[in-house]
Amino acid sequence: MKNKNFAAVYPGSFDPPTNGHLDIIRRASHLFPNVIVAITENSAKNHMFPLAERVKLMKESVKRIPNVKVVSFEGLLADYLAKTGSFVLIRGLRAISDFEYEFQMALMNRQLNKKIETVFLMPDQAYTFLSSSMVKEIAALGGNTKNFVPLCVEKKLKKQLTINKLQITIKR
Ligand code: COA
């Protein structure tokens, strides 16, 4: 890539970031001069962590990857891309089951802005089964999330679940 300022955008809700997301970010950081991890609300989901917290966790998780920046955005992804002038989207494909949704989203984003190209990267096979919801469920049921998330996320999950338990006890 000739233009050193060129950035590819990796969007998601990252609630919370997992090692699978980091695997995609690392791969993208080798392919593109800059990677912008763009975090937003997903209106279809009830997030465990507020947006600012997810940004903080992602920043901490990628702090050793020099060409990665973490931002948050509101509204349509296509509008955010137009604002930043970056038209390459990174998406992870974990399994065939991801394909239909990703295909639909890539074509819809292209419909919204013809300049948008989506590049699909496959995570290491160790992460093909991973999702943020699964990590939250494991943590909520007292399981060990150490192998699935960065250390800062593991700590945050433990803290959050202690708070949740305390709140339930107080309500009783
Ligand atoms: N490793 C581990 N988990 C992964 C992964 C990977 N490599 N890739 C995806 N996942 C997980 C995510 O953690 C997420 O898990 P969850 O459902 O348990 O939270 C799940 O797979 C789905 O991920 P994704 O499709 O990226 O959903 P998302 O909520 O993270 O991101 C947006 C979706 C935010 C990109 C999309 O809703 C969007 O663009 N919103 C902006 C509004 C907009 O423009 N809408 C029109 C889009 S056409």
Side-chain angles (χ1 to χ4, degrees):
M1 201 98 10
K2 280 182 192 153
N3 181 354
K4 284 201 172 120
N5 295 323
F6 181 88
V9 176
Y10 181 40
S13 51
F14 305 109
D15 183 42
T18 69
N19 289 344
H21 296 131
L22 290 188
D23 182 90
I24 296 289
I25 293 168
R26 275 197 204 96
R27 285 171 201 280
S29 76
H30 295 147
L31 288 174
F32 300 100
N34 302 285
V35 176
I36 298 172
V37 180
I39 310 185
T40 192
E41 306 288 6
N42 185 335
S43 53
K45 293 177 183 175
N46 279 326
H47 295 302
M48 175 184 246
F49 296 110
L51 186 57
E53 193 61 53
R54 283 179 270 141
V55 169
K56 210 167 138 192
L57 288 170
M58 184 59 92
K59 279 188 177 165
E60 176 67 20
S61 307
V62 300
K63 67 180 180 197
R64 289 197 180 83
I65 317 177
N67 57 339
V68 176
K69 196 171 117 182
V70 181
V71 301
S72 63
F73 74 97
E74 281 176 9
L76 278 179
L77 180 57
D79 290 344
Y80 171 72
L81 294 176
K83 222 182 289 167
T84 57
S86 305
F87 292 102
V88 173
L89 270 185
I90 306 290
R91 296 290 293 166
L93 267 188
R94 291 164 298 172
I96 295 284
S97 48
D98 281 345
F99 181 76
E100 205 168 316
Y101 169 68
E102 291 299 335
F103 185 66
Q104 197 182 0
M105 197 153 85
L107 292 183
M108 181 52 85
N109 277 320
R110 189 189 275 164
Q111 196 68 32
L112 293 170
N113 190 321
K114 295 260 175 292
K115 287 187 187 167
I116 298 175
E117 290 295 350
T118 306
V119 175
F120 295 104
L121 298 178
M122 276 177 284
D124 188 286
Q125 61 192 32
Y127 304 123
T128 50
F129 57 88
L130 200 52
S131 75
S132 298
S133 307
M134 235 176 231
V135 163
K136 283 181 280 191
E137 190 178 343
I138 293 166
L141 298 173
N144 191 343
T145 58
K146 189 172 161 237
N147 294 330
F148 310 130
V149 292
L151 185 62
C152 62
V153 174
E154 191 196 347
K155 283 187 187 163
K156 192 74 203 176
L157 278 167
K158 277 187 187 153
K159 202 169 152 192
Q160 187 63 40
L161 292 162
T162 311
I163 294 170
N164 291 357
K165 272 183 201 158
L166 273 176
Q167 282 171 342
I168 292 167
T169 316
I170 291 164
K171 273 184 196 160
R172 278 181 189 154

